[in-house]
Amino acid sequence: MQHERILILDFGSQYTQLIARRVRELNIYSEIHPYNKIPEIDESWKAVILSGSPHSVRENNAPIPDLSGIKGKLPLLGVCYGAQHLAHEFGGEVSPSNNREYGRANLSFVDVHSELMKGVSLGSQVWMSHADTITTIPSNYKLLASTNDVEVVAYRIENESTYALQFHPEVYHSLDGSTILKNFLVDISGCAQDWTPATFVEETVDGLKYQLGNDKVVLGLSGGVDSTVTAVLLHKAIGENLHCIFVDNGLLRKGEFESVLNQYQGMGLNVKGVDSKERFYNILSGVTDPEKKRKAIGAMFVDVFEDESHKIENVKWLAQGTIYPDVIESVSATGGPSQTIKSHHNVGGLPDYMKLRIVEPLNTLFKDEVRRIGHSMDIDQKLLGRHPFPGPGLAIRILGDITKEKVRILQEVDHIFISALESSGLYDKVWQAGAIFLPIQSVGVMGDERTYENAVALRAVESTDGMTADWVHLPYEFLAKVSNDIINKVKGVNRVVYDISSKPPATIEWE
């Protein structure tokens, strides 16, 4: 049976993925599709949401969706650009704002009798991000909310289940945003709120059984949450036909290869450990550009899996633990105008010479969703609670060229930092932490001797999905002790700094 779905049409907004997350937080499944590639509308689609956009409806080449099979037939909610489009295309007027509205605003009028705004307080804070304003709406449109500066903040079309919001309900700063979305999705659209982690597992396993049949699948395990959950889902679907490979690329954390390999074997997975350290060191020799590092590591992973897959008779598929933020940051998630931030080694397909097909059961999920799904499958909390670790490993935490000595130094520094977080009870309060080897040396004094050694940076952030992140205010006493331990115990380091940048503008990793 096809699960009920919410269709989100993407016009290129930076917030489109947040709409999907807010919908899923209500236990309702959502999918994002480009505004110009609308899927066939069948009975599984319960409602449609139009996203915001960096474009203006007044542009000559403004994105215009074909809503002929949607508007007036399914519940429809326009957000920001979507609201302006529904006004502009059907008889209203949209004009440049006298003052562009970005940030917080407060509702000065709310139609509390409307289904959409039920439970929304007068004065409620909303989040604006628009350069145009809806100045007039057609006669069959009813005003539902205003602010002191903008009259048309929310409206509905009479005799249709069509609604619109000038602000962004998906952003946390819109304090009643979740209430409004629930009103639209549950009360207006009649969604059952039955998309749960257990439901995802059941449907995904059934889908994998159908997709893969009796085919053999090779999966590269990393020790992280994403590949682990991917492995367990596939194991449930195809059992021993899943062949897991855990590669030691020489860029893992200290002692990680042996400890994680033992964990996987204890879970009953069909897993093989492969020592490929020298192969990775060789292809990274002299490479300093971050993108070239990522590309080289991705290509070498493909080569390793190609070699190993030849040892497995009739393997047909390569499984990957790709999740949504990986896709979003590498390429547009929907074929829209999103800008590539950085490439991910597990995104973008395989070279023509490698004949394996790709299966990615998690590529529509955010990190927090992956953890909830893993918890529902009773995966060890120690594995689920592990901090995210980049696919290229320490290579993108060593700025500049990669050498064995730099890897050794960073592994020791990282081990001291992570161990201290664990022993101090801070590990689970941090979303991701690690150390960065900086491409500079600085003067220091040890004993009576002058030193000229390496500097390292410590990084710890809090986040829910990796799309945004704030630096963690670790106690000064903790940082002082960690810094002292690193300088005293790691030969080659005489300076430690702490990164207090948030994402955006900085990314979580330095490369």
Side-chain angles (χ1 to χ4, degrees):
M1 182 182 73
Q2 177 69 65
H3 207 279
E4 64 182 26
R5 300 178 285 176
I6 300 301
L7 172 61
I8 301 169
L9 295 184
D10 180 25
F11 295 87
S13 169
Q14 62 179 320
Y15 297 138
T16 302
Q17 290 77 29
L18 285 180
I19 299 175
R21 287 198 67 243
R22 297 297 171 263
V23 173
R24 294 182 191 186
E25 286 173 358
L26 293 168
N27 292 332
I28 299 168
Y29 182 68
S30 60
E31 289 183 13
I32 300 173
H33 290 265
Y35 76 91
N36 56 354
K37 296 180 181 178
I38 299 174
E40 180 181 353
I41 301 300
D42 58 32
E43 61 183 14
S44 69
W45 297 108
K46 298 290 288 184
V48 179
I49 299 176
L50 309 181
S51 83
S53 176
H55 297 281
S56 167
V57 295
R58 299 179 297 102
E59 295 175 8
N60 291 332
N61 296 319
I64 300 175
D66 178 6
L67 299 179
S68 58
I70 295 171
K71 184 176 175 293
K73 299 174 183 178
L74 283 176
L76 176 63
L77 176 65
V79 173
C80 196
Y81 178 92
Q84 294 177 358
H85 171 76
L86 291 172
H88 180 74
E89 288 296 312
F90 298 97
E93 184 176 347
V94 176
S95 304
S97 301
N98 292 329
N99 296 304
R100 296 193 300 173
E101 279 205 322
Y102 294 101
R104 296 170 178 83
N106 298 95
L107 299 179
S108 59
F109 161 72
V110 179
D111 183 351
V112 295
H113 300 293
S114 70
E115 285 188 281
L116 185 68
M117 306 303 287
K118 181 178 62 179
V120 177
S121 306
L122 189 66
S124 179
Q125 178 180 289
V126 296
W127 188 261
M128 297 287 194
S129 182
H130 59 98
D132 291 339
T133 298
I134 302 169
T135 49
T136 60
I137 52 177
S139 58
N140 63 327
Y141 284 37
K142 182 180 179 182
L143 185 67
L144 299 182
S146 306
T147 66
N148 288 327
D149 295 325
V150 177
E151 181 183 12
V152 184
V153 165
Y155 64 79
R156 72 161 297 180
I157 300 179
E158 295 178 346
N159 300 317
E160 289 184 18
S161 292
T162 300
Y163 297 81
L165 302 168
Q166 179 60 80
F167 60 90
H168 289 271
E170 69 274 21
V171 176
Y172 280 122
H173 296 93
S174 291
L175 300 183
D176 287 318
S178 293
T179 297
I180 293 170
L181 288 173
K182 184 177 180 182
N183 289 343
F184 175 71
L185 295 168
V186 178
D187 297 342
I188 294 169
S189 305
C191 292
Q193 291 184 278
D194 58 0
W195 189 72
T196 62
T199 302
F200 176 86
V201 171
E202 181 182 352
E203 293 180 354
T204 300
V205 169
D206 287 345
L208 290 170
K209 288 178 179 178
Y210 178 79
Q211 179 183 15
L212 303 174
N214 291 319
D215 290 349
K216 292 181 180 178
V217 178
V218 60
L219 165 65
L221 291 170
S222 68
V225 176
D226 306 329
S227 66
T228 300
V229 174
T230 299
V232 175
L233 282 169
L234 284 161
H235 185 70
K236 283 179 174 288
I238 62 173
E240 288 297 306
N241 277 345
L242 172 64
H243 294 258
C244 300
I245 299 170
F246 185 31
V247 176
D248 186 357
N249 60 3
L251 301 164
L252 301 173
R253 285 176 158 150
K254 182 179 178 180
E256 187 169 33
F257 180 68
E258 295 79 13
S259 64
V260 173
L261 185 61
N262 289 335
Q263 277 183 299
Y264 283 139
Q265 290 170 339
M267 294 166 62
L269 294 176
N270 179 15
V271 58
K272 176 183 179 182
V274 179
D275 183 352
S276 298
K277 291 193 291 289
E278 294 303 323
R279 294 179 69 177
F280 281 88
Y281 288 151
N282 287 338
I283 57 106
L284 288 170
S285 178
V287 179
T288 59
D289 180 80
E291 280 298 290
K292 289 182 180 178
K293 286 184 192 177
R294 289 176 177 271
K295 298 290 187 184
I297 290 168
M300 181 53 67
F301 268 117
V302 170
D303 288 347
V304 171
F305 293 139
E306 173 81 349
D307 293 343
E308 294 300 322
S309 68
H310 283 158
K311 302 173 186 177
I312 306 167
E313 187 177 351
N314 296 323
V315 66
K316 300 284 184 67
W317 299 81
L318 171 66
Q320 296 189 137
T322 308
I323 62 171
Y324 215 0
D326 296 341
V327 177
I328 295 164
E329 290 191 338
S330 294
V331 292
S332 168
T334 59
S338 305
Q339 183 178 11
T340 297
I341 298 170
K342 60 188 177 185
S343 65
H344 287 262
H345 77 281
N346 56 341
V347 177
L350 295 171
D352 291 340
Y353 69 80
M354 192 170 182
K355 304 305 180 184
L356 301 181
R357 289 175 285 175
I358 291 179
V359 55
E360 297 173 320
L362 305 181
N363 67 356
T364 60
L365 299 183
F366 293 90
K367 180 72 74 174
D368 55 323
E369 295 176 315
V370 175
R371 284 199 171 99
R372 288 199 296 269
I373 286 159
H375 181 73
S376 75
M377 295 190 295
D378 297 321
I379 296 175
D380 188 338
Q381 186 57 39
K382 289 183 179 179
L383 276 172
L384 291 180
R386 285 174 59 115
H387 291 174
F389 188 68
L394 298 180
I396 59 168
R397 292 183 179 176
I398 296 173
L399 308 192
D401 65 320
I402 308 298
T403 67
K404 291 182 182 180
E405 177 62 8
K406 289 180 182 179
V407 172
R408 179 199 68 79
I409 290 173
L410 192 56
Q411 284 178 332
E412 295 292 339
V413 170
D414 180 84
H415 180 68
I416 291 172
F417 184 31
I418 299 301
S419 297
L421 287 170
E422 292 172 338
S423 63
S424 301
L426 293 169
Y427 186 85
D428 291 335
K429 298 179 181 179
V430 172
W431 193 75
Q432 183 170 338
I436 299 92
F437 187 101
L438 302 180
I440 57 173
Q441 291 183 315
S442 66
V443 174
V445 177
M446 291 185 176
D448 294 326
E449 297 183 3
R450 177 184 184 274
T451 63
Y452 193 64
E453 293 182 333
N454 300 292
V456 295
L458 306 181
R459 180 88 159 125
V461 299
E462 54 187 4
S463 181
T464 56
D465 52 30
M467 299 298 294
T468 59
D470 290 324
W471 64 278
V472 177
H473 294 241
L474 294 175
Y476 291 146
E477 296 79 9
F478 172 85
L479 290 172
K481 185 178 186 308
V482 169
S483 174
N484 190 62
D485 285 348
I486 290 170
I487 292 171
N488 285 336
K489 297 178 181 178
V490 183
K491 184 179 180 181
V493 176
N494 70 353
R495 190 175 299 271
V496 177
V497 299
Y498 187 54
D499 182 350
I500 58 170
S501 309
S502 295
K503 176 185 180 180
T507 52
I508 295 174
E509 299 296 340
W510 281 41
E511 289 193 339

